[in-house]
Amino acid sequence: MAKNNSKLYELDGKVPLAQAIPFGLQHVLAMFVANITPIIILANVAGIDTTISSTLIQNCMIIAGIGTLIQLYPIWRIGSRLPIVMGISFTFLSASLAIATTQGMGVLMGAVILGGIIEGVLGLFPNYWTKLIPHVVAATVVTAIGFSLLPIGANSFAGGQGAADFGSMNNWIVGSFTLLVCLGFQIFSKGFLRSLSVLIGLIAGYILAVCMGMVDFSGLQNVGVVSLPNFMPFKPEFNLGAFLSILAIYFVSATETIGDTSALCSSALNRTTHKQEMGSSVACDGFVSSVAGLFGCTPITSFSQNVGLAAMSGVVNRFAIATGACIMILGGIFPAVGALLTTIPQAVLGGCTIMMFGSIMFAGFRMLSNCGFSDRNMIIVAMSLSVGLGFTQAAGMFSIFPQMIQTVFAENCVAVVFLLAVILNLILPKDNKENPQRKNG
């Protein structure tokens, strides 16, 4: 058993299915609600029929599973062969709402499909753009991703932003209990149980939430047995303005995927990212997003919370994480599976994820330390983080800019940090004496 356990920490280790499933399920539970929430919000705001919106939720799960499998087991140069979990991106939500409510879902899907193809093609030619992302830029972006996730974990811990019981005593109790169980198993357990600390904490928190009457099972009533995905629920249409808006955000999504890829390699695999891996992960992001548009879904991207989970547990086995992708696909085909997963209270998810998000930030710190602490690096990191994190937290800071600029940058600190880091890296004079051990990048 100990020998099999060690395979979980190898990318291509042979792990028995019964052992792989709980680790795959752990990844699904870490990202499930975040994966379906964007499409739920979009369907509600755009006034999409409830029958169609329910099929869109199923489609989201299937697309997330397919995207994850392609990252794990690439098709040609599409997919990084890294344990990256894909899901529907929140980054596109604001622009998607604006387009869907004013021009219709068909226009939105046309922009999603075409923009994804362009991002995918970009990912196939990493030699032309990866030189813009040296170690110090990647480390700064990873740090920004960690910071940007902290409010998400905190909001979930308190019950979910906008919830009627936000910050209630029940949410504090359940969130704290879940977090303590996760910490307890992470600190005092070894091997198999330590790697499953998040799943164990989630199950313990869920049981407590059930006992406290916080779990609503009404959504499990009248759920069908099998439901196949609905292909092209909206006829794609092309509009130049909508396309340019979505394309701009695709570049932001590519930035997040690059950062997650770098964070995963640094924190879970203890090495730097290869240029081809970076390009292949972006290619998967783009091309699978185009497929998502054919099924009425908004684009997918890598999920940072799952990078944090891999860093915390040390489990990077592709087969184990692939079982999670298969669970997502089954959840899309068998509605009861998805309906059951939606009953997990936000406070439970917050208790599980808050330390995972912190681990991404720690990975960024470690990458920064490897880059060296020269004056040049200090300026790049300090300026990028202070402006990127600070300006996006100040409401109305971008109000003088056109709507497209506001959509891309106003609430996305990762995009601002990335852009500033790249620009500063290009314009600041190089110091030939700095960090000579990192010149292999």
Side-chain angles (χ1 to χ4, degrees):
M1 177 64 77
K3 184 178 180 180
N4 285 336
N5 284 348
S6 67
K7 299 294 183 182
L8 289 165
Y9 310 104
E10 299 175 9
L11 206 60
D12 298 305
K14 293 184 178 180
V15 179
L17 179 62
Q19 195 179 74
I21 286 175
F23 290 96
L25 179 61
Q26 185 171 239
H27 273 278
V28 174
L29 295 175
M31 57 79 71
F32 180 79
V33 173
N35 178 56
I36 64 174
T37 299
I39 205 67
I40 292 174
I41 295 172
L42 178 62
N44 289 337
V45 175
I48 297 173
D49 179 78
T50 53
T51 303
I52 296 178
S53 63
S54 63
T55 62
L56 293 181
I57 292 172
Q58 294 174 238
N59 290 354
C60 285
M61 297 172 63
I62 293 172
I63 292 297
I66 292 173
T68 302
L69 285 176
I70 293 175
Q71 283 285 22
L72 295 166
Y73 300 99
I75 299 174
W76 186 46
R77 286 154 56 189
I78 304 171
S80 61
R81 204 173 169 274
L82 294 173
I84 296 173
V85 176
M86 306 294 286
I88 303 300
S89 174
F90 263 102
T91 306
F92 292 84
L93 184 57
S94 178
S96 298
L97 289 172
I99 295 170
T101 53
T102 58
Q103 297 171 290
M105 289 292 293
V107 172
L108 174 60
M109 292 304 113
V112 167
I113 293 167
L114 187 56
I117 292 173
I118 292 176
E119 186 197 7
V121 171
L122 181 71
L124 295 177
F125 301 97
N127 290 336
Y128 294 96
W129 52 267
T130 50
K131 63 185 70 173
L132 298 174
I133 313 172
H135 298 296
V136 66
V137 173
T140 307
V141 172
V142 170
T143 305
I145 289 174
F147 273 110
S148 70
L149 287 171
L150 296 182
I152 296 174
N155 283 326
S156 292
F157 190 97
Q161 190 67 46
D165 63 344
F166 187 83
S168 68
M169 178 64 72
N170 283 352
N171 286 327
W172 269 96
I173 292 172
V174 170
S176 300
F177 175 76
T178 304
L179 175 60
L180 288 173
V181 173
C182 291
L183 280 173
F185 276 88
Q186 183 71 20
I187 295 170
F188 299 110
S189 297
K190 295 181 180 179
F192 189 78
L193 289 177
R194 185 177 187 272
S195 300
L196 281 175
S197 60
V198 173
L199 178 61
I200 294 169
L202 189 144
I203 293 173
Y206 186 77
I207 293 172
L208 177 62
V210 170
C211 295
M212 295 176 64
M214 296 174 61
V215 180
D216 181 11
F217 293 105
S218 61
L220 299 178
Q221 299 174 2
N222 302 320
V223 175
V225 178
V226 178
S227 179
L228 297 178
N230 186 3
F231 180 73
M232 209 175 290
F234 310 104
K235 182 180 178 181
E237 303 172 32
F238 181 75
N239 176 277
L240 181 59
F243 163 69
L244 292 176
S245 296
I246 293 296
L247 180 62
I249 303 173
Y250 264 116
F251 292 128
V252 177
S253 178
T255 300
E256 294 172 344
T257 297
I258 290 167
D260 286 340
T261 305
S262 300
L264 178 71
C265 289
S266 173
S267 61
L269 299 177
N270 298 313
R271 63 171 175 81
T272 57
T273 314
H274 300 147
K275 181 165 52 178
Q276 190 57 54
E277 290 173 334
M278 199 176 290
S280 297
S281 63
V282 171
C284 178
D285 195 327
F287 287 126
V288 179
S289 290
S290 291
V291 176
L294 294 173
F295 286 88
C297 299
T298 48
I300 69 167
T301 193
S302 59
F303 265 41
S304 300
Q305 51 262 57
N306 294 86
V307 174
L309 178 56
M312 199 169 85
S313 67
V315 175
V316 295
N317 184 264
R318 291 193 300 153
F319 177 71
I321 296 172
T323 61
C326 293
I327 291 171
M328 283 191 280
I329 294 172
L330 290 174
I333 297 174
F334 298 96
V337 176
L340 180 61
L341 294 178
T342 59
T343 64
I344 301 172
Q346 283 284 333
V348 175
L349 295 171
C352 291
T353 57
I354 193 129
M355 191 171 76
M356 285 163 32
F357 295 162
S359 68
I360 298 175
M361 195 164 54
F362 177 78
F365 293 157
R366 183 165 62 181
M367 292 171 69
L368 289 171
S369 69
N370 291 335
C371 294
F373 295 100
S374 66
D375 288 343
R376 184 178 188 274
N377 285 350
M378 183 276 290
I379 294 172
I380 292 173
V381 175
M383 279 295 296
S384 301
L385 290 178
S386 60
V387 173
L389 298 175
F391 282 23
T392 53
Q393 296 300 311
M397 190 78 183
F398 291 81
S399 59
I400 65 169
F401 294 99
Q403 185 59 47
M404 183 181 295
I405 300 296
Q406 294 184 47
T407 299
V408 175
F409 295 109
E411 297 181 4
N412 195 321
C413 69
V414 176
V416 180
V417 168
F418 176 76
L419 182 62
L420 279 175
V422 168
I423 293 173
L424 289 170
N425 179 68
L426 290 174
I427 64 176
L428 290 177
K430 297 286 193 296
D431 182 356
N432 293 328
K433 295 180 180 179
E434 72 169 330
N435 208 23
Q437 74 270 23
R438 302 293 296 178
K439 288 185 178 179
N440 63 340

